[in-house]
Coordinates of all heavy atoms in Angstrom, one line a residue:
M1 N 3.4 264.1 39.3 CA 3.9 265.4 39.5 C 5.1 265.4 40.4 O 5.1 264.7 41.4 CB 2.8 266.3 40.1 CG 3.1 267.8 40.1 SD 1.6 268.7 40.5 CE 1.9 268.9 42.3
K2 N 6.1 266.1 40.0 CA 7.4 266.0 40.8 C 7.5 267.3 41.5 O 7.5 268.4 40.9 CB 8.5 265.8 39.8 CG 9.8 265.6 40.5 CD 10.8 264.9 39.6 CE 12.2 265.3 39.8 NZ 13.1 264.7 38.8
V3 N 7.7 267.3 42.8 CA 7.9 268.4 43.7 C 9.3 268.4 44.3 O 9.7 267.4 44.9 CB 6.9 268.5 44.8 CG1 7.1 269.8 45.6 CG2 5.4 268.5 44.3
T4 N 10.1 269.4 44.0 CA 11.5 269.4 44.4 C 11.7 270.6 45.4 O 11.3 271.7 45.0 CB 12.5 269.5 43.3 OG1 12.1 268.5 42.3 CG2 13.9 269.3 43.7
V5 N 12.1 270.3 46.6 CA 12.3 271.4 47.6 C 13.7 271.7 47.8 O 14.6 270.8 48.0 CB 11.6 271.0 48.9 CG1 11.8 272.1 50.0 CG2 10.2 270.6 48.7
C6 N 14.1 273.0 47.7 CA 15.5 273.4 47.9 C 15.8 273.2 49.4 O 15.1 273.7 50.3 CB 15.7 274.8 47.5 SG 17.3 275.4 47.9
I7 N 16.9 272.5 49.6 CA 17.4 272.4 51.0 C 18.8 273.0 51.2 O 19.5 272.7 52.1 CB 17.4 270.9 51.5 CG1 18.3 270.1 50.5 CG2 16.0 270.3 51.6 CD1 18.7 268.7 51.0
G8 N 19.1 274.0 50.3 CA 20.3 274.7 50.4 C 20.2 275.6 51.7 O 19.1 275.7 52.3
S9 N 21.3 276.1 52.2 CA 21.3 276.7 53.5 C 20.3 277.9 53.6 O 19.6 278.1 54.6 CB 22.7 277.2 53.9 OG 23.3 277.9 52.9
G10 N 20.2 278.7 52.5 CA 19.3 279.8 52.6 C 17.8 279.4 52.8 O 17.1 279.9 53.7
C11 N 17.4 278.4 52.1 CA 16.0 277.9 52.2 C 15.9 277.1 53.4 O 14.8 277.1 54.0 CB 15.7 277.1 50.9 SG 15.5 278.1 49.5
H12 N 16.9 276.4 53.9 CA 16.8 275.6 55.1 C 16.5 276.5 56.3 O 15.6 276.3 57.1 CB 18.2 274.9 55.4 CG 18.2 274.2 56.7 ND1 17.6 273.0 56.9 CD2 18.8 274.5 57.9 CE1 17.7 272.6 58.1 NE2 18.5 273.5 58.7
V13 N 17.2 277.7 56.3 CA 16.9 278.7 57.4 C 15.5 279.2 57.3 O 14.9 279.5 58.3 CB 18.0 279.8 57.3 CG1 17.6 281.0 58.1 CG2 19.3 279.3 57.6
K14 N 15.0 279.3 56.1 CA 13.6 279.8 56.0 C 12.5 278.7 56.1 O 11.3 278.9 55.9 CB 13.4 280.4 54.6 CG 14.2 281.8 54.6 CD 14.1 282.5 53.3 CE 14.9 283.8 53.3 NZ 14.9 284.4 52.0
G15 N 12.9 277.4 56.4 CA 12.0 276.4 56.8 C 11.7 275.3 55.8 O 10.6 274.7 55.8
S16 N 12.7 275.0 54.9 CA 12.4 274.0 53.9 C 12.1 272.6 54.5 O 11.3 271.9 54.0 CB 13.5 273.9 52.9 OG 14.7 273.7 53.5
R17 N 12.7 272.4 55.7 CA 12.4 271.1 56.3 C 10.9 270.9 56.7 O 10.3 269.9 56.5 CB 13.3 270.9 57.5 CG 13.2 269.6 58.2 CD 13.8 269.6 59.6 NE 15.3 269.7 59.5 CZ 16.1 268.8 59.8 NH1 15.6 267.6 60.3 NH2 17.4 268.9 59.7
K18 N 10.4 272.0 57.2 CA 9.0 272.0 57.6 C 8.1 271.8 56.4 O 7.0 271.2 56.4 CB 8.6 273.3 58.3 CG 9.0 273.3 59.7 CD 8.5 274.6 60.4 CE 9.1 274.7 61.8 NZ 9.1 276.1 62.2
I19 N 8.5 272.4 55.3 CA 7.7 272.2 54.0 C 7.7 270.8 53.6 O 6.7 270.2 53.1 CB 8.2 273.2 53.0 CG1 7.8 274.6 53.4 CG2 7.7 272.9 51.6 CD1 8.4 275.7 52.6
I20 N 8.9 270.2 53.7 CA 9.0 268.8 53.3 C 8.1 267.9 54.2 O 7.4 267.0 53.7 CB 10.5 268.3 53.3 CG1 11.3 268.9 52.2 CG2 10.6 266.7 53.2 CD1 12.8 268.7 52.2
H21 N 8.1 268.2 55.5 CA 7.2 267.4 56.4 C 5.8 267.6 56.0 O 5.0 266.7 56.0 CB 7.4 267.9 57.8 CG 8.7 267.3 58.4 ND1 9.3 267.9 59.5 CD2 9.5 266.3 58.0 CE1 10.4 267.2 59.8 NE2 10.5 266.2 58.9
R22 N 5.4 268.9 55.7 CA 4.0 269.2 55.3 C 3.6 268.4 54.0 O 2.6 267.8 53.9 CB 3.9 270.7 55.1 CG 2.6 271.2 54.9 CD 1.8 271.3 56.2 NE 0.4 271.2 55.9 CZ -0.4 270.1 55.8 NH1 0.1 269.0 56.1 NH2 -1.7 270.2 55.5
L23 N 4.5 268.3 53.1 CA 4.3 267.6 51.8 C 4.2 266.1 52.1 O 3.3 265.4 51.6 CB 5.4 267.8 50.8 CG 5.4 269.2 50.1 CD1 6.7 269.5 49.5 CD2 4.3 269.3 49.1
Q24 N 5.0 265.6 53.0 CA 5.0 264.2 53.3 C 3.6 263.8 54.0 O 3.0 262.8 53.7 CB 6.1 263.8 54.3 CG 7.4 263.7 53.5 CD 8.6 263.6 54.5 OE1 8.6 264.1 55.6 NE2 9.7 263.0 54.0
E25 N 3.1 264.8 54.8 CA 1.8 264.6 55.4 C 0.7 264.5 54.4 O -0.1 263.6 54.4 CB 1.5 265.7 56.4 CG 2.0 265.6 57.8 CD 1.7 266.9 58.5 OE1 0.8 267.7 58.2 OE2 2.5 267.2 59.5
M26 N 0.8 265.4 53.4 CA -0.2 265.4 52.4 C -0.2 264.1 51.6 O -1.2 263.6 51.2 CB 0.0 266.6 51.4 CG -0.3 268.0 51.9 SD 0.2 269.3 50.8 CE -1.1 269.2 49.6
I27 N 1.0 263.6 51.3 CA 1.2 262.4 50.5 C 0.7 261.2 51.3 O -0.1 260.4 50.8 CB 2.7 262.2 50.1 CG1 3.1 263.3 49.1 CG2 2.9 260.8 49.5 CD1 4.5 263.4 48.8
S28 N 1.0 261.2 52.6 CA 0.6 260.0 53.4 C -0.9 259.9 53.7 O -1.4 258.8 53.9 CB 1.4 260.0 54.7 OG 1.0 261.0 55.5
K29 N -1.5 261.1 53.6 CA -3.0 261.0 53.7 C -3.7 260.3 52.6 O -4.7 259.7 52.7 CB -3.6 262.4 53.8 CG -3.5 263.0 55.2 CD -4.3 264.3 55.2 CE -3.9 265.1 56.5 NZ -4.2 266.5 56.3
G30 N -3.0 260.3 51.4 CA -3.4 259.5 50.3 C -4.6 259.9 49.6 O -5.2 259.2 48.8
N31 N -5.1 261.2 49.8 CA -6.3 261.6 49.1 C -6.0 262.6 48.0 O -6.9 263.4 47.6 CB -7.4 262.1 50.1 CG -6.8 263.2 51.0 OD1 -5.7 263.6 50.8 ND2 -7.6 263.7 51.9
L32 N -4.8 262.6 47.5 CA -4.4 263.5 46.4 C -4.9 262.9 45.1 O -4.8 261.7 44.9 CB -2.9 263.8 46.4 CG -2.4 264.5 47.6 CD1 -0.9 264.6 47.6 CD2 -3.0 265.9 47.8
P33 N -5.3 263.8 44.1 CA -5.7 263.2 42.8 C -4.7 262.6 41.9 O -5.0 262.0 41.0 CB -6.4 264.4 42.2 CG -5.8 265.6 42.9 CD -5.4 265.2 44.2
C34 N -3.4 262.9 42.2 CA -2.4 262.2 41.5 C -1.1 262.0 42.3 O -1.0 262.6 43.4 CB -2.1 262.9 40.1 SG -0.7 264.1 40.2
E35 N -0.2 261.2 41.9 CA 0.9 260.9 42.7 C 1.9 262.0 42.7 O 2.1 262.7 41.7 CB 1.6 259.7 42.2 CG 1.8 258.6 43.2 CD 2.2 257.3 42.6 OE1 3.3 257.3 42.2 OE2 1.4 256.3 42.7
I36 N 2.5 262.3 43.9 CA 3.5 263.3 44.0 C 4.9 262.6 44.3 O 5.0 261.8 45.2 CB 3.2 264.3 45.1 CG1 2.1 265.2 44.8 CG2 4.5 265.2 45.4 CD1 1.7 266.2 45.8
E37 N 5.8 262.9 43.5 CA 7.2 262.4 43.7 C 8.0 263.6 44.4 O 8.0 264.7 43.8 CB 7.8 262.1 42.3 CG 9.1 261.4 42.4 CD 9.7 261.3 40.9 OE1 8.9 261.3 40.0 OE2 10.9 261.3 40.8
L38 N 8.4 263.3 45.6 CA 9.1 264.4 46.4 C 10.6 264.2 46.3 O 11.1 263.1 46.6 CB 8.5 264.2 47.8 CG 8.9 265.3 48.8 CD1 8.6 266.7 48.3 CD2 8.3 265.0 50.2
E39 N 11.3 265.3 46.0 CA 12.7 265.3 46.0 C 13.3 266.5 46.6 O 12.6 267.5 46.8 CB 13.2 265.3 44.5 CG 13.2 263.9 43.9 CD 13.9 263.8 42.6 OE1 14.4 264.8 42.1 OE2 13.8 262.7 42.0
A40 N 14.5 266.5 47.0 CA 15.2 267.6 47.6 C 16.3 268.0 46.6 O 16.8 267.2 45.9 CB 15.8 267.3 48.9
C41 N 16.7 269.3 46.6 CA 17.8 269.7 45.8 C 18.6 270.8 46.5 O 18.1 271.4 47.5 CB 17.3 270.3 44.4 SG 16.3 271.8 44.6
F42 N 19.8 271.1 46.0 CA 20.6 272.1 46.6 C 20.2 273.5 46.0 O 19.4 273.6 45.2 CB 22.1 271.7 46.5 CG 22.3 270.5 47.4 CD1 22.7 269.3 46.8 CD2 22.2 270.6 48.8 CE1 22.9 268.2 47.6 CE2 22.5 269.5 49.6 CZ 22.8 268.3 49.0
C43 N 21.0 274.5 46.4 CA 20.7 275.9 46.1 C 20.3 276.1 44.6 O 21.0 275.6 43.7 CB 21.8 276.8 46.5 SG 21.5 278.5 46.2
Q44 N 19.2 276.8 44.4 CA 18.7 277.1 43.1 C 19.1 278.5 42.6 O 18.6 279.0 41.6 CB 17.2 277.0 43.0 CG 16.7 275.6 43.4 CD 17.1 274.5 42.4 OE1 16.7 274.6 41.2 NE2 18.0 273.6 42.8
G45 N 20.0 279.2 43.5 CA 20.5 280.5 43.1 C 19.5 281.6 43.4 O 19.7 282.7 42.9
R46 N 18.4 281.4 44.1 CA 17.4 282.4 44.4 C 17.1 282.5 45.9 O 16.0 282.6 46.3 CB 16.1 282.1 43.6 CG 16.4 282.2 42.1 CD 15.3 281.8 41.3 NE 14.3 282.9 41.3 CZ 13.3 282.9 40.4 NH1 13.1 282.0 39.5 NH2 12.4 283.9 40.5
C47 N 18.2 282.3 46.7 CA 18.1 282.2 48.2 C 17.3 283.4 48.8 O 16.6 283.1 49.8 CB 19.5 282.2 48.8 SG 20.6 281.2 47.9
T48 N 17.4 284.6 48.3 CA 16.7 285.7 48.9 C 15.2 285.5 48.7 O 14.4 286.2 49.4 CB 17.1 287.0 48.3 OG1 16.9 287.0 46.9 CG2 18.6 287.3 48.6
E49 N 14.8 284.7 47.8 CA 13.3 284.5 47.6 C 12.8 283.2 48.2 O 11.6 282.8 47.9 CB 13.1 284.5 46.0 CG 13.6 285.7 45.3 CD 13.6 285.5 43.8 OE1 12.5 285.3 43.2 OE2 14.7 285.4 43.2
G50 N 13.6 282.6 49.0 CA 13.2 281.3 49.5 C 11.9 281.3 50.4 O 11.5 282.4 50.8
V51 N 11.4 280.2 50.7 CA 11.9 278.9 50.3 C 11.5 278.7 48.8 O 10.4 279.1 48.3 CB 11.2 277.8 51.1 CG1 11.6 276.4 50.5 CG2 11.6 277.9 52.6
V52 N 12.4 278.1 48.1 CA 12.2 277.8 46.6 C 11.9 276.4 46.4 O 12.5 275.5 46.9 CB 13.5 278.2 45.9 CG1 13.4 277.8 44.4 CG2 13.9 279.6 46.0
I53 N 10.8 276.1 45.6 CA 10.5 274.8 45.2 C 10.4 274.7 43.7 O 10.2 275.8 43.1 CB 9.2 274.2 45.9 CG1 8.0 274.9 45.4 CG2 9.3 274.3 47.4 CD1 6.7 274.2 45.8
R54 N 10.4 273.5 43.2 CA 10.1 273.4 41.8 C 9.0 272.3 41.6 O 9.0 271.3 42.3 CB 11.4 272.9 41.0 CG 11.6 273.5 39.7 CD 12.9 273.2 39.1 NE 13.3 271.8 39.2 CZ 14.5 271.4 39.6 NH1 15.4 272.3 39.9 NH2 14.9 270.2 39.7
I55 N 8.0 272.7 40.8 CA 7.0 271.7 40.6 C 7.1 271.4 39.1 O 6.9 272.3 38.2 CB 5.6 272.2 40.9 CG1 5.5 272.4 42.4 CG2 4.5 271.2 40.4 CD1 4.1 272.7 43.0
D56 N 7.5 270.2 38.8 CA 7.9 269.8 37.4 C 8.9 270.8 37.0 O 10.0 270.9 37.6 CB 6.7 269.6 36.5 CG 5.8 268.5 37.0 OD1 6.3 267.5 37.5 OD2 4.6 268.6 36.8
D57 N 8.7 271.6 35.9 CA 9.7 272.6 35.5 C 9.5 274.0 36.0 O 10.2 274.9 35.6 CB 9.8 272.6 34.0 CG 10.4 271.2 33.5 OD1 11.2 270.7 34.2 OD2 10.0 270.8 32.4
E58 N 8.5 274.2 36.8 CA 8.1 275.6 37.2 C 8.8 275.9 38.6 O 8.6 275.1 39.5 CB 6.6 275.6 37.4 CG 6.1 277.0 37.8 CD 4.6 277.0 38.2 OE1 4.0 275.9 38.2 OE2 4.1 278.1 38.5
I59 N 9.5 277.0 38.6 CA 10.1 277.4 39.9 C 9.2 278.3 40.6 O 8.6 279.2 40.1 CB 11.5 278.1 39.6 CG1 12.5 277.1 39.1 CG2 12.0 278.8 40.9 CD1 13.9 277.3 39.5
I60 N 9.0 278.0 41.9 CA 8.1 278.8 42.7 C 8.8 279.3 43.9 O 9.5 278.5 44.6 CB 6.8 278.0 43.2 CG1 6.1 277.4 41.9 CG2 5.9 278.8 44.0 CD1 5.3 276.2 42.2
T61 N 8.7 280.6 44.2 CA 9.5 281.2 45.3 C 8.5 281.6 46.4 O 7.3 281.6 46.2 CB 10.3 282.4 44.8 OG1 9.4 283.3 44.3 CG2 11.4 282.0 43.8
G62 N 9.1 281.9 47.5 CA 8.3 282.4 48.7 C 7.4 281.4 49.2 O 6.3 281.7 49.8
V63 N 7.8 280.2 49.2 CA 6.9 279.1 49.7 C 7.1 279.0 51.2 O 8.2 279.1 51.8 CB 7.3 277.7 49.0 CG1 6.4 276.6 49.5 CG2 7.2 277.9 47.5
S64 N 5.9 278.8 51.9 CA 6.0 278.6 53.4 C 5.0 277.5 53.7 O 4.3 277.0 52.9 CB 5.5 279.9 54.0 OG 4.1 280.1 53.7
T65 N 5.0 277.2 55.0 CA 4.1 276.1 55.5 C 2.7 276.6 55.3 O 1.7 275.8 55.3 CB 4.3 275.7 57.0 OG1 4.5 276.9 57.7 CG2 5.6 274.9 57.1
E66 N 2.5 277.9 55.3 CA 1.1 278.4 55.1 C 0.6 278.3 53.7 O -0.6 278.1 53.5 CB 1.0 279.9 55.5 CG 1.0 280.2 57.0 CD 2.3 280.2 57.6 OE1 3.3 280.8 57.1 OE2 2.5 279.4 58.6
N67 N 1.4 278.4 52.7 CA 0.9 278.4 51.3 C 1.2 277.1 50.5 O 0.7 276.9 49.4 CB 1.4 279.7 50.6 CG 2.9 279.7 50.4 OD1 3.6 278.8 50.6 ND2 3.4 280.9 50.0
I68 N 2.0 276.2 51.1 CA 2.5 275.1 50.3 C 1.3 274.2 49.9 O 1.2 273.7 48.7 CB 3.5 274.2 51.1 CG1 4.0 273.0 50.2 CG2 3.0 273.7 52.4 CD1 4.7 273.4 49.0
E69 N 0.3 274.0 50.8 CA -0.8 273.1 50.4 C -1.6 273.7 49.2 O -1.9 273.0 48.3 CB -1.7 273.0 51.7 CG -2.7 271.8 51.5 CD -3.2 271.3 52.8 OE1 -2.6 271.6 53.9 OE2 -4.3 270.8 52.8
N70 N -1.9 275.0 49.3 CA -2.6 275.6 48.2 C -1.9 275.6 46.9 O -2.4 275.3 45.9 CB -2.8 277.1 48.6 CG -4.2 277.4 49.0 OD1 -5.1 276.5 48.8 ND2 -4.5 278.5 49.6
I71 N -0.6 275.8 47.0 CA 0.3 275.8 45.8 C 0.2 274.4 45.1 O -0.1 274.3 43.9 CB 1.7 276.2 46.1 CG1 1.9 277.6 46.5 CG2 2.7 275.8 44.9 CD1 3.2 278.0 47.1
V72 N 0.4 273.4 45.9 CA 0.3 272.0 45.3 C -1.1 271.7 44.8 O -1.2 271.2 43.7 CB 0.8 271.0 46.4 CG1 0.6 269.6 45.9 CG2 2.3 271.2 46.6
L73 N -2.1 272.0 45.6 CA -3.4 271.6 45.2 C -3.8 272.3 43.9 O -4.5 271.7 43.1 CB -4.4 271.9 46.4 CG -4.3 270.9 47.6 CD1 -5.3 271.3 48.7 CD2 -4.4 269.5 47.2
T74 N -3.5 273.6 43.8 CA -3.8 274.3 42.6 C -3.1 273.7 41.4 O -3.8 273.5 40.3 CB -3.3 275.8 42.7 OG1 -3.8 276.3 43.9 CG2 -3.7 276.6 41.5
R75 N -1.8 273.3 41.5 CA -1.2 272.7 40.4 C -1.8 271.3 40.1 O -1.9 270.9 38.9 CB 0.3 272.5 40.7 CG 1.2 273.7 40.9 CD 1.0 274.8 39.9 NE 1.8 276.0 40.1 CZ 1.7 276.9 41.0 NH1 0.8 276.8 41.9 NH2 2.5 278.0 40.9
L76 N -2.2 270.6 41.1 CA -2.8 269.3 40.8 C -4.1 269.4 40.1 O -4.4 268.6 39.2 CB -3.0 268.5 42.2 CG -1.8 267.9 42.8 CD1 -2.1 267.4 44.2 CD2 -1.2 266.8 42.0
K77 N -4.9 270.4 40.4 CA -6.2 270.6 39.8 C -6.0 270.9 38.3 O -6.8 270.6 37.5 CB -6.9 271.8 40.4 CG -7.8 271.4 41.5 CD -8.6 272.6 42.0 CE -8.8 272.5 43.5 NZ -8.9 273.8 44.1
N78 N -4.9 271.6 38.0 CA -4.6 272.0 36.6 C -3.9 270.9 35.8 O -3.5 271.1 34.6 CB -3.8 273.3 36.5 CG -4.5 274.4 37.1 OD1 -5.7 274.5 37.1 ND2 -3.8 275.4 37.7
K79 N -3.7 269.8 36.4 CA -3.1 268.6 35.7 C -4.0 268.0 34.7 O -5.2 267.9 34.9 CB -2.6 267.6 36.7 CG -1.3 267.9 37.4 CD -0.2 267.4 36.6 CE 1.0 268.3 36.8 NZ 2.1 268.1 35.8
Ligands
LIG1 S1 19.3 278.0 49.2 FE1 17.4 277.7 48.2 S2 17.7 278.9 46.4 FE2 19.6 279.1 47.5

């Protein structure tokens, strides 16, 4: 599963760096049911809805350090 986090200025201000750290923690624990490929991207044109991430081809907005784990785990379960 590929997770891409927007690091454009709008999402950066809303905490995309913390979200990347959180994802790296999840990956390094190594107990996820499938591999996550983590990438960063520039502005996705939805800055007001940030933080914006993409999981495979699905765009997800309003991501925070509070909900990132749930978002990823839910998608992993549906794989
Ligand atoms: S900066 Fe993330 S959508 Fe624009």
Side-chain angles (χ1 to χ4, degrees):
M1 192 170 91
K2 186 158 147 186
V3 181
T4 309
V5 181
C6 175
I7 53 164
S9 52
C11 289
H12 176 76
V13 167
K14 290 182 181 172
S16 55
R17 184 193 290 250
K18 283 185 188 159
I19 288 170
I20 289 173
H21 284 161
R22 189 73 204 92
L23 285 164
Q24 286 171 331
E25 272 173 26
M26 288 174 77
I27 293 166
S28 67
K29 277 188 194 159
N31 54 1
L32 296 173
C34 95
E35 233 170 68
I36 290 184
E37 187 187 332
L38 186 56
E39 277 189 4
C41 65
F42 292 111
C43 183
Q44 300 295 296
R46 297 176 71 169
C47 317
T48 56
E49 303 166 67
V51 174
V52 176
I53 70 168
R54 218 171 44 227
I55 295 186
D56 296 328
D57 290 327
E58 180 189 7
I59 293 216
I60 301 157
T61 58
V63 180
S64 68
T65 47
E66 280 82 51
N67 64 13
I68 182 65
E69 194 161 337
N70 257 344
I71 289 169
V72 168
L73 291 177
T74 306
R75 299 311 185 287
L76 282 172
K77 265 186 219 149
N78 295 333
K79 279 271 152 198

